[in-house]
Each structure stands twice: as C-alpha cells, then as structure tokens.
Amino acid sequence: NQLSSKAQRICTPFQYREKKRLHTRFYIRFPHNAYHIKFTRAYNTHRKMLDPNLESRLTVLDERLLSPGMYEMNQSFYKWSRDYWWKDEEIHHRRVKARQELRRFKNTSAQDAIEEITFRGLRLSKSEF
C-alpha cells in the first residue's frame, strides 16, 4: 500500500472512508488490451480411471446390478433412503401439502396461528360426532 511518488503518478488514486477516516488506494492504469482475464474452474469436472482392469471390473459389476431381480432387491434393501422418499408419490404429496400449510402461517402472528389451529381442531372434533 505504500508506493513511491513516481509510482503514484502512474496510478489512479481512489479515496474511500473507513471508520470515519479517509483512505487513499492506488490502482494501476493499464490499457484495455494489455491484459486478459482468464477464468478457470476451482474443481474437477471430469475424471477418468487409467487402469483398464478396474474399468472392466466396474462394467461387470454394473451389468450384474442391472440384471433382472437385482434392482428390486436393491430397492427393498434401501427402502427408507433419502432417494426413496421422492420416488414414492404418496409421501411426496404429503410433504408438498405440509409445505403449503406452513407457507400459510408464514406471514401471520403467533396468536392468530394458534387461534386458527384450535378452531380447526374444534371444527374437526364436531364433525366426528
């Protein structure tokens, strides 16, 4: 942040306030064609195994998992997994209805929500008789 006076003449000063004090920061003036911004991903998008034996073994295992009966067995073992919840339509519809009910109470006060819930409970209990 400390530049010589010769370096400051090359730069553009920029003043800003921080905690009620005036600070000066210098930015270098580059011609627009003097630099090129390059964006690169910060994560791996593709990967490939280099061992052909491992690849052939994985294809054999995939074929075995896709053989008749294996898919049904796998579904029965992992019935309560996170992915299964969204495959079952009845559970999905119940979750959507619950979310809609909660959305109705989003902009109401707590007292109004309690009154509505108790009124609904009374109305349901009277309909049973």
Side-chain angles (χ1 to χ4, degrees), residues 21-72:
R21 292 180 59 206
L22 194 64
H23 294 277
T24 305
R25 183 169 283 161
F26 293 94
Y27 291 104
I28 299 173
R29 286 182 289 219
F30 282 123
H32 69 281
N33 57 358
Y35 60 92
H36 177 70
I37 298 172
K38 182 180 177 185
F39 296 100
T40 57
R41 288 193 176 98
Y43 53 90
N44 294 334
T45 55
H46 305 291
R47 65 180 175 184
K48 182 172 171 51
M49 283 190 194
L50 298 176
D51 190 6
N53 293 332
L54 283 176
E55 286 186 30
S56 63
R57 184 71 179 142
L58 282 175
T59 55
V60 168
L61 289 173
D62 286 339
E63 288 172 5
R64 196 161 197 198
L65 283 174
L66 294 175
S67 64
M70 290 296 278
Y71 179 77
E72 290 81 10

Side-chain angles (χ1 to χ4, degrees), residues 12-26:
T12 304
F14 172 72
Q15 292 185 338
Y16 64 97
R17 288 196 180 275
E18 184 177 303
K19 296 182 183 177
K20 298 182 181 180
R21 292 180 59 206
L22 194 64
H23 294 277
T24 305
R25 183 169 283 161
F26 293 94

Side-chain angles (χ1 to χ4, degrees), residues 101-113:
E101 290 284 325
L102 289 173
R103 225 179 268 131
R104 283 193 324 148
F105 294 117
K106 188 175 182 181
N107 296 324
T108 59
S109 66
Q111 189 63 34
D112 293 340

